[in-house]
Amino acid sequence: INAEYGGCSRDELTETFDVNVAGVHVVTAALRPLLARPSEDGILGKVINISSELGSIANTHNSFTTAYRVSKAALNMLTRCTATDLIRDNVICVAVHPGWVRTDLGGPNAPLSVEDSVRDVVEIVEGAGREHNGMYVRKGLTPEPY
């Protein structure tokens, strides 16, 4: 059965979830040995998952892009779960909303250039510490509502 419900088909939901959640899980698991570091050096391994404000359950008021929204909400949960596991290896996990960016997905009306978004995400990567482990943030490490 591939009935359309909630603005998407089962195939669309499955494919989007496979890319945005299962794919992230598999890559993180494969890279885990490279991310783990001795805690004496004070350097943390970091997993930065690119989420979206559309993945915020608290801020959802319509079914626009249901498959994408559901996958990003699941990615945020995966980030929290992974954070609790990887911190033992001195690795933190953070989900990041990069802003609404002018890309093929974001469209030409998006307010942020790719360069500005990348600059903001790099700032998050550099600034994220243990206190941000498991968080869902945007520019300036500002928390986003789950």
Side-chain angles (χ1 to χ4, degrees), residues 60-97:
T60 297
H61 306 290
N62 61 52
S63 64
F64 175 70
T65 65
T66 296
Y68 183 77
R69 285 176 181 267
V70 168
S71 73
K72 291 303 186 174
L75 177 63
N76 294 342
M77 177 58 84
L78 179 65
T79 301
R80 286 293 287 249
C81 292
T82 305
T84 64
D85 186 40
L86 292 185
I87 195 65
R88 293 186 298 251
D89 294 332
N90 204 33
V91 177
I92 63 167
C93 288
V94 179
V96 175
H97 167 55

PDB file of all heavy atoms in Angstrom, residues 60-97:
ATOM      1  N   THR A  60       5.372  23.157  14.662  1.00  0.00           N
ATOM      2  CA  THR A  60       4.654  22.634  13.501  1.00  0.00           C
ATOM      3  C   THR A  60       3.179  23.014  13.579  1.00  0.00           C
ATOM      4  O   THR A  60       2.505  22.690  14.546  1.00  0.00           O
ATOM      5  CB  THR A  60       4.804  21.108  13.408  1.00  0.00           C
ATOM      6  OG1 THR A  60       6.187  20.818  13.223  1.00  0.00           O
ATOM      7  CG2 THR A  60       4.016  20.540  12.251  1.00  0.00           C
ATOM      8  N   HIS A  61       2.716  23.676  12.516  1.00  0.00           N
ATOM      9  CA  HIS A  61       1.321  24.122  12.463  1.00  0.00           C
ATOM     10  C   HIS A  61       0.639  23.755  11.159  1.00  0.00           C
ATOM     11  O   HIS A  61      -0.474  24.201  10.897  1.00  0.00           O
ATOM     12  CB  HIS A  61       1.242  25.632  12.697  1.00  0.00           C
ATOM     13  CG  HIS A  61       1.925  26.046  13.962  1.00  0.00           C
ATOM     14  ND1 HIS A  61       1.429  25.739  15.210  1.00  0.00           N
ATOM     15  CD2 HIS A  61       3.093  26.690  14.176  1.00  0.00           C
ATOM     16  CE1 HIS A  61       2.257  26.211  16.138  1.00  0.00           C
ATOM     17  NE2 HIS A  61       3.274  26.784  15.535  1.00  0.00           N
ATOM     18  N   ASN A  62       1.334  22.968  10.290  1.00  0.00           N
ATOM     19  CA  ASN A  62       0.730  22.503   9.038  1.00  0.00           C
ATOM     20  C   ASN A  62       1.473  21.251   8.572  1.00  0.00           C
ATOM     21  O   ASN A  62       2.437  20.831   9.198  1.00  0.00           O
ATOM     22  CB  ASN A  62       0.761  23.599   7.960  1.00  0.00           C
ATOM     23  CG  ASN A  62       2.169  24.028   7.617  1.00  0.00           C
ATOM     24  OD1 ASN A  62       3.021  23.208   7.319  1.00  0.00           O
ATOM     25  ND2 ASN A  62       2.424  25.320   7.656  1.00  0.00           N
ATOM     26  N   SER A  63       1.001  20.655   7.480  1.00  0.00           N
ATOM     27  CA  SER A  63       1.626  19.423   6.993  1.00  0.00           C
ATOM     28  C   SER A  63       2.512  19.659   5.776  1.00  0.00           C
ATOM     29  O   SER A  63       2.849  18.726   5.054  1.00  0.00           O
ATOM     30  CB  SER A  63       0.547  18.385   6.663  1.00  0.00           C
ATOM     31  OG  SER A  63      -0.270  18.845   5.611  1.00  0.00           O
ATOM     32  N   PHE A  64       2.920  20.905   5.554  1.00  0.00           N
ATOM     33  CA  PHE A  64       3.826  21.233   4.452  1.00  0.00           C
ATOM     34  C   PHE A  64       5.104  20.397   4.567  1.00  0.00           C
ATOM     35  O   PHE A  64       5.716  20.346   5.624  1.00  0.00           O
ATOM     36  CB  PHE A  64       4.138  22.740   4.505  1.00  0.00           C
ATOM     37  CG  PHE A  64       5.157  23.194   3.508  1.00  0.00           C
ATOM     38  CD1 PHE A  64       4.862  23.212   2.157  1.00  0.00           C
ATOM     39  CD2 PHE A  64       6.404  23.614   3.928  1.00  0.00           C
ATOM     40  CE1 PHE A  64       5.806  23.641   1.222  1.00  0.00           C
ATOM     41  CE2 PHE A  64       7.353  24.041   3.021  1.00  0.00           C
ATOM     42  CZ  PHE A  64       7.045  24.057   1.660  1.00  0.00           C
ATOM     43  N   THR A  65       5.505  19.756   3.529  1.00  0.00           N
ATOM     44  CA  THR A  65       6.694  18.889   3.457  1.00  0.00           C
ATOM     45  C   THR A  65       6.745  17.868   4.603  1.00  0.00           C
ATOM     46  O   THR A  65       7.745  17.756   5.306  1.00  0.00           O
ATOM     47  CB  THR A  65       8.012  19.698   3.409  1.00  0.00           C
ATOM     48  OG1 THR A  65       8.182  20.400   4.629  1.00  0.00           O
ATOM     49  CG2 THR A  65       8.064  20.648   2.247  1.00  0.00           C
ATOM     50  N   THR A  66       5.678  17.099   4.740  1.00  0.00           N
ATOM     51  CA  THR A  66       5.558  16.150   5.849  1.00  0.00           C
ATOM     52  C   THR A  66       6.748  15.202   5.957  1.00  0.00           C
ATOM     53  O   THR A  66       7.305  15.033   7.042  1.00  0.00           O
ATOM     54  CB  THR A  66       4.253  15.347   5.730  1.00  0.00           C
ATOM     55  OG1 THR A  66       3.159  16.257   5.852  1.00  0.00           O
ATOM     56  CG2 THR A  66       4.138  14.294   6.804  1.00  0.00           C
ATOM     57  N   ALA A  67       7.142  14.563   4.869  1.00  0.00           N
ATOM     58  CA  ALA A  67       8.241  13.585   4.938  1.00  0.00           C
ATOM     59  C   ALA A  67       9.524  14.237   5.438  1.00  0.00           C
ATOM     60  O   ALA A  67      10.227  13.682   6.286  1.00  0.00           O
ATOM     61  CB  ALA A  67       8.457  12.933   3.570  1.00  0.00           C
ATOM     62  N   TYR A  68       9.833  15.415   4.922  1.00  0.00           N
ATOM     63  CA  TYR A  68      11.034  16.132   5.348  1.00  0.00           C
ATOM     64  C   TYR A  68      10.947  16.492   6.829  1.00  0.00           C
ATOM     65  O   TYR A  68      11.895  16.272   7.590  1.00  0.00           O
ATOM     66  CB  TYR A  68      11.198  17.386   4.486  1.00  0.00           C
ATOM     67  CG  TYR A  68      12.445  18.177   4.768  1.00  0.00           C
ATOM     68  CD1 TYR A  68      13.683  17.753   4.304  1.00  0.00           C
ATOM     69  CD2 TYR A  68      12.386  19.367   5.498  1.00  0.00           C
ATOM     70  CE1 TYR A  68      14.832  18.482   4.548  1.00  0.00           C
ATOM     71  CE2 TYR A  68      13.533  20.106   5.743  1.00  0.00           C
ATOM     72  CZ  TYR A  68      14.755  19.659   5.273  1.00  0.00           C
ATOM     73  OH  TYR A  68      15.886  20.380   5.530  1.00  0.00           O
ATOM     74  N   ARG A  69       9.807  17.032   7.255  1.00  0.00           N
ATOM     75  CA  ARG A  69       9.619  17.417   8.661  1.00  0.00           C
ATOM     76  C   ARG A  69       9.789  16.225   9.597  1.00  0.00           C
ATOM     77  O   ARG A  69      10.470  16.310  10.620  1.00  0.00           O
ATOM     78  CB  ARG A  69       8.230  18.012   8.872  1.00  0.00           C
ATOM     79  CG  ARG A  69       8.040  19.400   8.356  1.00  0.00           C
ATOM     80  CD  ARG A  69       6.568  19.804   8.562  1.00  0.00           C
ATOM     81  NE  ARG A  69       6.304  21.119   8.070  1.00  0.00           N
ATOM     82  CZ  ARG A  69       6.360  22.234   8.811  1.00  0.00           C
ATOM     83  NH1 ARG A  69       6.661  22.163  10.077  1.00  0.00           N
ATOM     84  NH2 ARG A  69       6.099  23.398   8.279  1.00  0.00           N
ATOM     85  N   VAL A  70       9.124  15.122   9.252  1.00  0.00           N
ATOM     86  CA  VAL A  70       9.189  13.927  10.095  1.00  0.00           C
ATOM     87  C   VAL A  70      10.624  13.416  10.181  1.00  0.00           C
ATOM     88  O   VAL A  70      11.105  13.055  11.264  1.00  0.00           O
ATOM     89  CB  VAL A  70       8.233  12.833   9.552  1.00  0.00           C
ATOM     90  CG1 VAL A  70       8.480  11.496  10.223  1.00  0.00           C
ATOM     91  CG2 VAL A  70       6.785  13.268   9.734  1.00  0.00           C
ATOM     92  N   SER A  71      11.331  13.413   9.062  1.00  0.00           N
ATOM     93  CA  SER A  71      12.708  12.922   9.070  1.00  0.00           C
ATOM     94  C   SER A  71      13.618  13.818   9.903  1.00  0.00           C
ATOM     95  O   SER A  71      14.514  13.325  10.603  1.00  0.00           O
ATOM     96  CB  SER A  71      13.245  12.778   7.647  1.00  0.00           C
ATOM     97  OG  SER A  71      13.530  14.026   7.048  1.00  0.00           O
ATOM     98  N   LYS A  72      13.411  15.129   9.856  1.00  0.00           N
ATOM     99  CA  LYS A  72      14.259  16.031  10.639  1.00  0.00           C
ATOM    100  C   LYS A  72      13.917  15.959  12.126  1.00  0.00           C
ATOM    101  O   LYS A  72      14.813  16.069  12.977  1.00  0.00           O
ATOM    102  CB  LYS A  72      14.160  17.462  10.110  1.00  0.00           C
ATOM    103  CG  LYS A  72      14.799  17.634   8.724  1.00  0.00           C
ATOM    104  CD  LYS A  72      16.270  17.220   8.696  1.00  0.00           C
ATOM    105  CE  LYS A  72      16.917  17.526   7.358  1.00  0.00           C
ATOM    106  NZ  LYS A  72      18.358  17.279   7.347  1.00  0.00           N
ATOM    107  N   ALA A  73      12.641  15.745  12.463  1.00  0.00           N
ATOM    108  CA  ALA A  73      12.284  15.532  13.875  1.00  0.00           C
ATOM    109  C   ALA A  73      12.944  14.246  14.382  1.00  0.00           C
ATOM    110  O   ALA A  73      13.475  14.200  15.502  1.00  0.00           O
ATOM    111  CB  ALA A  73      10.770  15.466  14.039  1.00  0.00           C
ATOM    112  N   ALA A  74      12.934  13.207  13.553  1.00  0.00           N
ATOM    113  CA  ALA A  74      13.592  11.950  13.922  1.00  0.00           C
ATOM    114  C   ALA A  74      15.106  12.138  14.033  1.00  0.00           C
ATOM    115  O   ALA A  74      15.748  11.560  14.926  1.00  0.00           O
ATOM    116  CB  ALA A  74      13.255  10.862  12.907  1.00  0.00           C
ATOM    117  N   LEU A  75      15.682  12.946  13.158  1.00  0.00           N
ATOM    118  CA  LEU A  75      17.115  13.232  13.246  1.00  0.00           C
ATOM    119  C   LEU A  75      17.448  13.926  14.562  1.00  0.00           C
ATOM    120  O   LEU A  75      18.465  13.632  15.191  1.00  0.00           O
ATOM    121  CB  LEU A  75      17.562  14.097  12.067  1.00  0.00           C
ATOM    122  CG  LEU A  75      19.034  14.533  12.089  1.00  0.00           C
ATOM    123  CD1 LEU A  75      19.967  13.330  11.996  1.00  0.00           C
ATOM    124  CD2 LEU A  75      19.304  15.516  10.962  1.00  0.00           C
ATOM    125  N   ASN A  76      16.582  14.832  14.998  1.00  0.00           N
ATOM    126  CA  ASN A  76      16.814  15.510  16.277  1.00  0.00           C
ATOM    127  C   ASN A  76      16.809  14.500  17.424  1.00  0.00           C
ATOM    128  O   ASN A  76      17.648  14.580  18.329  1.00  0.00           O
ATOM    129  CB  ASN A  76      15.764  16.596  16.507  1.00  0.00           C
ATOM    130  CG  ASN A  76      15.892  17.724  15.502  1.00  0.00           C
ATOM    131  OD1 ASN A  76      16.911  17.886  14.852  1.00  0.00           O
ATOM    132  ND2 ASN A  76      14.836  18.502  15.374  1.00  0.00           N
ATOM    133  N   MET A  77      15.889  13.533  17.396  1.00  0.00           N
ATOM    134  CA  MET A  77      15.866  12.492  18.423  1.00  0.00           C
ATOM    135  C   MET A  77      17.098  11.605  18.316  1.00  0.00           C
ATOM    136  O   MET A  77      17.704  11.246  19.326  1.00  0.00           O
ATOM    137  CB  MET A  77      14.590  11.655  18.310  1.00  0.00           C
ATOM    138  CG  MET A  77      14.541  10.498  19.303  1.00  0.00           C
ATOM    139  SD  MET A  77      14.665  11.003  21.037  1.00  0.00           S
ATOM    140  CE  MET A  77      12.968  11.415  21.341  1.00  0.00           C
ATOM    141  N   LEU A  78      17.492  11.256  17.090  1.00  0.00           N
ATOM    142  CA  LEU A  78      18.704  10.461  16.902  1.00  0.00           C
ATOM    143  C   LEU A  78      19.912  11.199  17.477  1.00  0.00           C
ATOM    144  O   LEU A  78      20.774  10.589  18.115  1.00  0.00           O
ATOM    145  CB  LEU A  78      18.924  10.157  15.415  1.00  0.00           C
ATOM    146  CG  LEU A  78      20.180   9.357  15.077  1.00  0.00           C
ATOM    147  CD1 LEU A  78      20.101   7.954  15.661  1.00  0.00           C
ATOM    148  CD2 LEU A  78      20.377   9.303  13.560  1.00  0.00           C
ATOM    149  N   THR A  79      19.960  12.507  17.282  1.00  0.00           N
ATOM    150  CA  THR A  79      21.058  13.310  17.831  1.00  0.00           C
ATOM    151  C   THR A  79      21.093  13.194  19.354  1.00  0.00           C
ATOM    152  O   THR A  79      22.162  12.982  19.935  1.00  0.00           O
ATOM    153  CB  THR A  79      20.921  14.786  17.406  1.00  0.00           C
ATOM    154  OG1 THR A  79      20.939  14.859  15.974  1.00  0.00           O
ATOM    155  CG2 THR A  79      22.034  15.638  17.972  1.00  0.00           C
ATOM    156  N   ARG A  80      19.930  13.333  20.005  1.00  0.00           N
ATOM    157  CA  ARG A  80      19.874  13.202  21.476  1.00  0.00           C
ATOM    158  C   ARG A  80      20.318  11.824  21.929  1.00  0.00           C
ATOM    159  O   ARG A  80      21.093  11.680  22.885  1.00  0.00           O
ATOM    160  CB  ARG A  80      18.458  13.470  21.989  1.00  0.00           C
ATOM    161  CG  ARG A  80      18.011  14.901  21.996  1.00  0.00           C
ATOM    162  CD  ARG A  80      18.774  15.763  22.976  1.00  0.00           C
ATOM    163  NE  ARG A  80      18.445  15.530  24.342  1.00  0.00           N
ATOM    164  CZ  ARG A  80      17.796  16.376  25.121  1.00  0.00           C
ATOM    165  NH1 ARG A  80      17.385  17.519  24.650  1.00  0.00           N
ATOM    166  NH2 ARG A  80      17.575  16.086  26.365  1.00  0.00           N
ATOM    167  N   CYS A  81      19.805  10.788  21.269  1.00  0.00           N
ATOM    168  CA  CYS A  81      20.167   9.414  21.654  1.00  0.00           C
ATOM    169  C   CYS A  81      21.651   9.150  21.440  1.00  0.00           C
ATOM    170  O   CYS A  81      22.323   8.564  22.300  1.00  0.00           O
ATOM    171  CB  CYS A  81      19.327   8.418  20.854  1.00  0.00           C
ATOM    172  SG  CYS A  81      17.571   8.426  21.260  1.00  0.00           S
ATOM    173  N   THR A  82      22.167   9.571  20.299  1.00  0.00           N
ATOM    174  CA  THR A  82      23.580   9.373  19.995  1.00  0.00           C
ATOM    175  C   THR A  82      24.453  10.144  20.972  1.00  0.00           C
ATOM    176  O   THR A  82      25.512   9.655  21.392  1.00  0.00           O
ATOM    177  CB  THR A  82      23.876   9.789  18.540  1.00  0.00           C
ATOM    178  OG1 THR A  82      23.005   9.064  17.668  1.00  0.00           O
ATOM    179  CG2 THR A  82      25.312   9.505  18.151  1.00  0.00           C
ATOM    180  N   ALA A  83      24.012  11.332  21.354  1.00  0.00           N
ATOM    181  CA  ALA A  83      24.767  12.155  22.308  1.00  0.00           C
ATOM    182  C   ALA A  83      24.955  11.432  23.639  1.00  0.00           C
ATOM    183  O   ALA A  83      26.038  11.492  24.226  1.00  0.00           O
ATOM    184  CB  ALA A  83      24.053  13.489  22.527  1.00  0.00           C
ATOM    185  N   THR A  84      23.921  10.754  24.104  1.00  0.00           N
ATOM    186  CA  THR A  84      24.038  10.047  25.391  1.00  0.00           C
ATOM    187  C   THR A  84      25.002   8.868  25.293  1.00  0.00           C
ATOM    188  O   THR A  84      25.634   8.505  26.275  1.00  0.00           O
ATOM    189  CB  THR A  84      22.665   9.558  25.893  1.00  0.00           C
ATOM    190  OG1 THR A  84      22.146   8.601  24.976  1.00  0.00           O
ATOM    191  CG2 THR A  84      21.694  10.697  26.056  1.00  0.00           C
ATOM    192  N   ASP A  85      25.110   8.298  24.109  1.00  0.00           N
ATOM    193  CA  ASP A  85      25.992   7.154  23.900  1.00  0.00           C
ATOM    194  C   ASP A  85      27.438   7.574  23.665  1.00  0.00           C
ATOM    195  O   ASP A  85      28.358   7.045  24.280  1.00  0.00           O
ATOM    196  CB  ASP A  85      25.466   6.340  22.712  1.00  0.00           C
ATOM    197  CG  ASP A  85      26.233   5.058  22.499  1.00  0.00           C
ATOM    198  OD1 ASP A  85      26.584   4.393  23.499  1.00  0.00           O
ATOM    199  OD2 ASP A  85      26.485   4.717  21.334  1.00  0.00           O
ATOM    200  N   LEU A  86      27.649   8.543  22.792  1.00  0.00           N
ATOM    201  CA  LEU A  86      29.012   8.896  22.380  1.00  0.00           C
ATOM    202  C   LEU A  86      29.780   9.738  23.386  1.00  0.00           C
ATOM    203  O   LEU A  86      31.005   9.816  23.308  1.00  0.00           O
ATOM    204  CB  LEU A  86      28.992   9.608  21.029  1.00  0.00           C
ATOM    205  CG  LEU A  86      28.588   8.771  19.825  1.00  0.00           C
ATOM    206  CD1 LEU A  86      28.740   9.581  18.543  1.00  0.00           C
ATOM    207  CD2 LEU A  86      29.397   7.489  19.731  1.00  0.00           C
ATOM    208  N   ILE A  87      29.094  10.373  24.329  1.00  0.00           N
ATOM    209  CA  ILE A  87      29.811  11.201  25.304  1.00  0.00           C
ATOM    210  C   ILE A  87      30.818  10.361  26.097  1.00  0.00           C
ATOM    211  O   ILE A  87      31.854  10.863  26.520  1.00  0.00           O
ATOM    212  CB  ILE A  87      28.839  11.975  26.235  1.00  0.00           C
ATOM    213  CG1 ILE A  87      29.568  13.091  26.967  1.00  0.00           C
ATOM    214  CG2 ILE A  87      28.124  11.036  27.202  1.00  0.00           C
ATOM    215  CD1 ILE A  87      30.106  14.194  26.087  1.00  0.00           C
ATOM    216  N   ARG A  88      30.539   9.072  26.223  1.00  0.00           N
ATOM    217  CA  ARG A  88      31.494   8.170  26.904  1.00  0.00           C
ATOM    218  C   ARG A  88      32.825   8.090  26.156  1.00  0.00           C
ATOM    219  O   ARG A  88      33.852   7.767  26.739  1.00  0.00           O
ATOM    220  CB  ARG A  88      30.886   6.775  27.029  1.00  0.00           C
ATOM    221  CG  ARG A  88      29.700   6.713  27.951  1.00  0.00           C
ATOM    222  CD  ARG A  88      29.249   5.278  28.138  1.00  0.00           C
ATOM    223  NE  ARG A  88      28.815   4.688  26.877  1.00  0.00           N
ATOM    224  CZ  ARG A  88      27.545   4.412  26.577  1.00  0.00           C
ATOM    225  NH1 ARG A  88      26.592   4.679  27.440  1.00  0.00           N
ATOM    226  NH2 ARG A  88      27.241   3.871  25.420  1.00  0.00           N
ATOM    227  N   ASP A  89      32.769   8.378  24.844  1.00  0.00           N
ATOM    228  CA  ASP A  89      33.978   8.364  24.015  1.00  0.00           C
ATOM    229  C   ASP A  89      34.542   9.771  23.812  1.00  0.00           C
ATOM    230  O   ASP A  89      35.367   9.990  22.928  1.00  0.00           O
ATOM    231  CB  ASP A  89      33.680   7.762  22.635  1.00  0.00           C
ATOM    232  CG  ASP A  89      33.320   6.294  22.697  1.00  0.00           C
ATOM    233  OD1 ASP A  89      33.776   5.603  23.626  1.00  0.00           O
ATOM    234  OD2 ASP A  89      32.575   5.836  21.806  1.00  0.00           O
ATOM    235  N   ASN A  90      34.061  10.735  24.601  1.00  0.00           N
ATOM    236  CA  ASN A  90      34.500  12.119  24.495  1.00  0.00           C
ATOM    237  C   ASN A  90      34.068  12.739  23.162  1.00  0.00           C
ATOM    238  O   ASN A  90      34.784  13.535  22.558  1.00  0.00           O
ATOM    239  CB  ASN A  90      36.008  12.244  24.685  1.00  0.00           C
ATOM    240  CG  ASN A  90      36.433  13.616  25.149  1.00  0.00           C
ATOM    241  OD1 ASN A  90      35.717  14.292  25.883  1.00  0.00           O
ATOM    242  ND2 ASN A  90      37.589  14.055  24.705  1.00  0.00           N
ATOM    243  N   VAL A  91      32.886  12.341  22.701  1.00  0.00           N
ATOM    244  CA  VAL A  91      32.309  12.846  21.457  1.00  0.00           C
ATOM    245  C   VAL A  91      30.957  13.472  21.781  1.00  0.00           C
ATOM    246  O   VAL A  91      30.149  12.873  22.485  1.00  0.00           O
ATOM    247  CB  VAL A  91      32.114  11.709  20.425  1.00  0.00           C
ATOM    248  CG1 VAL A  91      31.436  12.229  19.160  1.00  0.00           C
ATOM    249  CG2 VAL A  91      33.451  11.052  20.096  1.00  0.00           C
ATOM    250  N   ILE A  92      30.740  14.687  21.279  1.00  0.00           N
ATOM    251  CA  ILE A  92      29.442  15.327  21.465  1.00  0.00           C
ATOM    252  C   ILE A  92      28.664  15.317  20.149  1.00  0.00           C
ATOM    253  O   ILE A  92      29.256  15.237  19.077  1.00  0.00           O
ATOM    254  CB  ILE A  92      29.560  16.771  21.999  1.00  0.00           C
ATOM    255  CG1 ILE A  92      30.291  17.669  21.000  1.00  0.00           C
ATOM    256  CG2 ILE A  92      30.222  16.788  23.368  1.00  0.00           C
ATOM    257  CD1 ILE A  92      30.162  19.153  21.317  1.00  0.00           C
ATOM    258  N   CYS A  93      27.355  15.391  20.282  1.00  0.00           N
ATOM    259  CA  CYS A  93      26.464  15.439  19.116  1.00  0.00           C
ATOM    260  C   CYS A  93      25.557  16.648  19.244  1.00  0.00           C
ATOM    261  O   CYS A  93      24.975  16.875  20.307  1.00  0.00           O
ATOM    262  CB  CYS A  93      25.597  14.189  19.050  1.00  0.00           C
ATOM    263  SG  CYS A  93      26.488  12.733  18.599  1.00  0.00           S
ATOM    264  N   VAL A  94      25.423  17.374  18.163  1.00  0.00           N
ATOM    265  CA  VAL A  94      24.577  18.564  18.134  1.00  0.00           C
ATOM    266  C   VAL A  94      23.793  18.558  16.821  1.00  0.00           C
ATOM    267  O   VAL A  94      24.361  18.301  15.765  1.00  0.00           O
ATOM    268  CB  VAL A  94      25.423  19.853  18.233  1.00  0.00           C
ATOM    269  CG1 VAL A  94      24.562  21.097  18.179  1.00  0.00           C
ATOM    270  CG2 VAL A  94      26.279  19.844  19.486  1.00  0.00           C
ATOM    271  N   ALA A  95      22.488  18.846  16.891  1.00  0.00           N
ATOM    272  CA  ALA A  95      21.675  19.038  15.696  1.00  0.00           C
ATOM    273  C   ALA A  95      21.633  20.534  15.412  1.00  0.00           C
ATOM    274  O   ALA A  95      21.439  21.341  16.324  1.00  0.00           O
ATOM    275  CB  ALA A  95      20.266  18.498  15.910  1.00  0.00           C
ATOM    276  N   VAL A  96      21.810  20.911  14.150  1.00  0.00           N
ATOM    277  CA  VAL A  96      21.926  22.320  13.772  1.00  0.00           C
ATOM    278  C   VAL A  96      20.893  22.686  12.713  1.00  0.00           C
ATOM    279  O   VAL A  96      20.779  22.004  11.687  1.00  0.00           O
ATOM    280  CB  VAL A  96      23.338  22.615  13.221  1.00  0.00           C
ATOM    281  CG1 VAL A  96      23.447  24.037  12.707  1.00  0.00           C
ATOM    282  CG2 VAL A  96      24.389  22.348  14.280  1.00  0.00           C
ATOM    283  N   HIS A  97      20.166  23.762  12.963  1.00  0.00           N
ATOM    284  CA  HIS A  97      19.337  24.370  11.925  1.00  0.00           C
ATOM    285  C   HIS A  97      20.224  25.412  11.249  1.00  0.00           C
ATOM    286  O   HIS A  97      20.611  26.404  11.877  1.00  0.00           O
ATOM    287  CB  HIS A  97      18.096  25.023  12.525  1.00  0.00           C
ATOM    288  CG  HIS A  97      17.378  25.920  11.557  1.00  0.00           C
ATOM    289  ND1 HIS A  97      16.958  25.484  10.323  1.00  0.00           N
ATOM    290  CD2 HIS A  97      17.040  27.224  11.629  1.00  0.00           C
ATOM    291  CE1 HIS A  97      16.381  26.493   9.684  1.00  0.00           C
ATOM    292  NE2 HIS A  97      16.421  27.550  10.458  1.00  0.00           N
TER     293      HIS A  97
END
